[in-house]
Amino acid sequence: GIQVEQSPPDLILQEGANSTLRCNFSDSVNNLQWFHQNPWGQLINLFYIPSGTKQNGRLSATTVATERYSLLYISSSQTTDSGVYFCAVKGYSSASKIIFGSGTRLSIRP
Amino acid sequence: KAGVTQTPRYLIKTRGQQVTLSCSPISGHRSVSWYQQTPGQGLQFLFEYFSETQRNKGNFPGRFSGRQFSNSRSEMNVSTLELGDSALYLCASSPGQDYGYTFGSGTRLTVV
């Protein structure tokens, strides 16, 4: 099956800093999403981005499908950005399963 | 538009019992999938249903089962609960293969 690796595993930043989170995957995918898991456990959908670039406020994401990676950018970090960020992918086959990376734990200090 | 609704939010069960969790997808979404999240194993795929048919299944024992009804609502059942089944169970719905998934708030199951 597809392997998903996220880096870094942990990131501690001061409020106002910018950050880049990376997701590498081992095979072609037709579905890639970035999620933020809040302290109560809910997964909040940030981007559905199997290819290309998208932006939403201070967040943006880029997926380079041919090179099998995706990046999530967070600018001007706020304490509310703290939490775990997951990348999840799914292959082209209808039998393919959604595979989550192990996540990046982001801590924003005031 | 209502989101994905999971019930109950919290559950405490005794080893050996069985449990049923419910997931109501976003209206119009025909795909429902289930995940188990534990600190040690991360987020693991359980199964996915589309139009009442199980399309995929993860690597879980037969004690874990699920079904989807004609209104797309889904239930998952875990029989003969073990301590290791304590986890956050998350449900997600999607319109179909080439769309993103929206998650519910989860059911936190504790087995004692």
Side-chain angles (χ1 to χ4, degrees), chain A residues 30-31 33 35 37 39-45 48 50 84 86 90-102, chain B residues 4 9-10 31 33 35 37 43-45 48 55-59 88 90 96-105 108:
Chain A
N30 77 336
N31 188 319
Q33 283 185 265
F35 295 95
Q37 189 165 40
W40 298 272
Q42 181 159 12
L43 284 166
I44 309 298
N45 181 26
Y48 170 72
V84 184
F86 290 99
K90 190 174 185 184
Y92 280 90
S93 165
S94 62
S96 182
K97 307 166 185 176
I98 294 178
I99 306 296
F100 278 82
S102 54
Chain B
V4 179
R9 288 296 309 278
Y10 301 92
S31 169
S33 50
Y35 304 81
Q37 186 176 27
L43 274 152
Q44 292 190 288
F45 172 80
E48 180 175 14
R55 192 157 63 175
N56 284 307
K57 191 178 192 309
N59 298 323
L88 178 66
L90 291 160
Q97 172 90 348
D98 298 325
Y99 295 87
Y101 289 77
T102 301
F103 280 80
S105 300
R108 194 168 293 278

Side-chain angles (χ1 to χ4, degrees), chain A:
Chain A
I2 299 174
Q3 306 296 314
V4 182
E5 290 185 5
Q6 290 188 242
S7 60
D10 294 279
L11 191 56
I12 301 174
L13 298 171
Q14 288 296 126
E15 200 168 22
N18 301 328
S19 57
T20 300
L21 283 57
R22 188 177 179 101
C23 171
N24 292 333
F25 42 96
S26 61
D27 203 349
S28 300
V29 300
N30 77 336
N31 188 319
L32 187 149
Q33 283 185 265
W34 283 97
F35 295 95
H36 175 213
Q37 189 165 40
N38 66 22
W40 298 272
Q42 181 159 12
L43 284 166
I44 309 298
N45 181 26
L46 298 176
F47 294 103
Y48 170 72
I49 186 166
S51 64
T53 298
K54 291 186 178 181
Q55 179 157 9
N56 184 5
R58 297 180 297 103
L59 273 61
S60 63
T62 294
T63 298
V64 184
T66 53
E67 297 188 21
R68 300 181 184 168
Y69 72 88
S70 183
L71 302 173
L72 177 68
Y73 304 97
I74 305 174
S75 65
S76 306
S77 298
Q78 301 175 359
T79 55
T80 52
D81 294 331
S82 296
V84 184
Y85 289 79
F86 290 99
C87 165
V89 306
K90 190 174 185 184
Y92 280 90
S93 165
S94 62
S96 182
K97 307 166 185 176
I98 294 178
I99 306 296
F100 278 82
S102 54
T104 292
R105 183 174 298 275
L106 177 65
S107 299
I108 305 297
R109 305 293 194 219

Side-chain angles (χ1 to χ4, degrees), chain B residues 71-100:
Chain B
N71 62 358
S72 293
R73 190 178 72 86
S74 177
E75 290 181 346
M76 67 162 281
N77 184 77
V78 188
S79 62
T80 319
L81 284 165
E82 300 177 359
L83 295 179
D85 297 333
S86 295
L88 178 66
Y89 290 87
L90 291 160
C91 163
S93 77
S94 169
Q97 172 90 348
D98 298 325
Y99 295 87

